[in-house]
Amino acid sequence: MLVVLEGILWTIRFFFGACIFSFLTVVIDRLPRGENLVRGRSHCTGCGRELTAWELIPCVSFLCLGGKCRGCGERIPLRCFWTELTGGAAFIGCVTRYGCGRSGVISPRGAVIFAYLGILLVVALIDWDTQMIYDRFHIMILILAVFDFLLYPERGIVTRLIGALIISVPMLILALVIPGAFGGGDIKLMAASGLLLGTASTVCAMFIGIVTGGGYAAVMLAGKKLEKKDQFAFGPFLALGLAAAVFWGNQIAAWYLHFL
């Protein structure tokens, strides 16, 4: 019986995270178009039909509908499904890594990190679509960094300040020397995230971002889908590195230093 109740609790946690990230798909879709984020019910972008409650169950509705609108048959973007799935996995990951706290659902620090992962997702997908990172997201990360410092003072202010500068300053210098090397949004993202994550995790995140972003560019160049002078959104790869660093940054850094 206890195993069943535990399984139900983890299922609730998964769908809670999936629901939050499902709303973020609305933010990702509406914010670049200047639409209101809270007013107006969810609707099919093809036929305009308002979606019913049964069509808004994270992950489940997409699978039951076969990835298509029930009204017009237009395909639902696959990334909506993956975003919801990522939200559920992220929430479970935060509970596993940071505990469930007194609430029995998630600890305060786990909630901060989950919110940060949600911001990273929005930043990554909006940047992918528009090559733009809104300053409001940097401000949100800075606020989360303050909360994290209050909840986790063991990660001292010195390592946080170094983390804010160790990557962002070289990026800024490189952007000034080579126009277009990095966007201002990328630089501010690493500065704000460094204040949250500290030195080791920020360096690890940048390394992952460079490797994955460089790999993507190499594949696109080889397939002649990019020219050498073309620019592409680097924010998604930085966000991927930062998300990985949240969970494994210190371990990866320690593993690397072991070989030095």
Side-chain angles (χ1 to χ4, degrees):
M1 184 65 179
L2 185 61
V3 174
V4 174
L5 292 176
E6 188 73 14
I8 292 173
L9 179 58
W10 282 107
T11 302
I12 292 173
R13 286 168 174 160
F14 173 85
F15 277 103
F16 180 82
C19 284
I20 297 297
F21 274 45
S22 181
F23 170 73
L24 295 184
T25 63
V26 176
V27 176
I28 294 164
D29 180 61
R30 294 185 182 183
L31 187 59
R33 298 206 303 259
E35 296 183 10
N36 192 289
L37 301 181
V38 294
R39 293 184 180 178
R41 295 188 58 182
S42 297
H43 58 275
C44 172
T45 55
C47 62
R49 182 180 64 87
E50 291 187 352
L51 304 181
T52 64
W54 296 107
E55 295 174 279
L56 295 173
I57 303 175
C59 300
V60 175
S61 294
F62 182 92
L63 296 175
C64 291
L65 293 170
K68 296 180 180 180
C69 173
R70 192 177 64 179
C72 65
E74 181 170 323
R75 295 199 66 83
I76 302 171
L78 183 61
R79 82 177 186 183
C80 292
F81 172 78
W82 286 112
T83 296
E84 293 168 350
L85 191 65
T86 299
F91 196 84
I92 288 178
C94 288
V95 173
T96 303
R97 178 68 174 81
Y98 300 102
C100 56
R102 295 181 181 179
S103 66
V105 180
I106 191 171
S107 67
R109 186 155 190 256
V112 168
I113 298 302
F114 178 72
Y116 175 62
L117 294 174
I119 294 171
L120 288 180
L121 177 82
V122 175
V123 165
L125 294 184
I126 289 182
D127 191 32
W128 185 267
D129 292 339
T130 66
Q131 294 194 19
M132 180 184 299
I133 301 178
Y134 295 91
D135 284 339
R136 67 191 71 181
F137 298 123
H138 305 131
I139 296 172
M140 291 178 185
I141 295 173
L142 289 175
I143 293 172
L144 290 178
V146 173
F147 279 113
D148 189 69
F149 177 68
L150 296 174
L151 294 169
Y152 185 53
E154 291 84 354
R155 178 174 288 163
I157 189 64
V158 174
T159 187
R160 292 176 185 271
L161 291 174
I162 294 174
L165 301 174
I166 194 170
I167 297 297
S168 61
V169 171
M171 289 175 70
L172 176 60
I173 294 173
L174 195 58
L176 294 174
V177 175
I178 307 174
F182 293 105
D186 298 333
I187 298 170
K188 286 179 278 189
L189 174 64
M190 294 307 293
S193 295
L195 196 62
L196 174 65
L197 301 180
T199 306
S201 293
T202 306
V203 173
C204 176
M206 187 62 181
F207 174 77
I208 295 173
I210 290 175
V211 170
T212 54
Y216 168 80
V219 171
M220 292 295 102
L221 287 171
K224 297 184 178 179
K225 295 181 179 180
L226 279 177
E227 299 293 335
K228 291 183 177 181
K229 294 183 179 180
D230 289 342
Q231 295 182 348
F232 64 93
F234 191 47
F237 303 101
L238 290 177
L240 176 63
L242 291 166
V246 163
F247 295 104
W248 307 293
N250 290 330
Q251 292 87 335
I252 294 174
W255 172 80
Y256 175 75
L257 291 174
H258 177 72
F259 293 95
L260 297 180

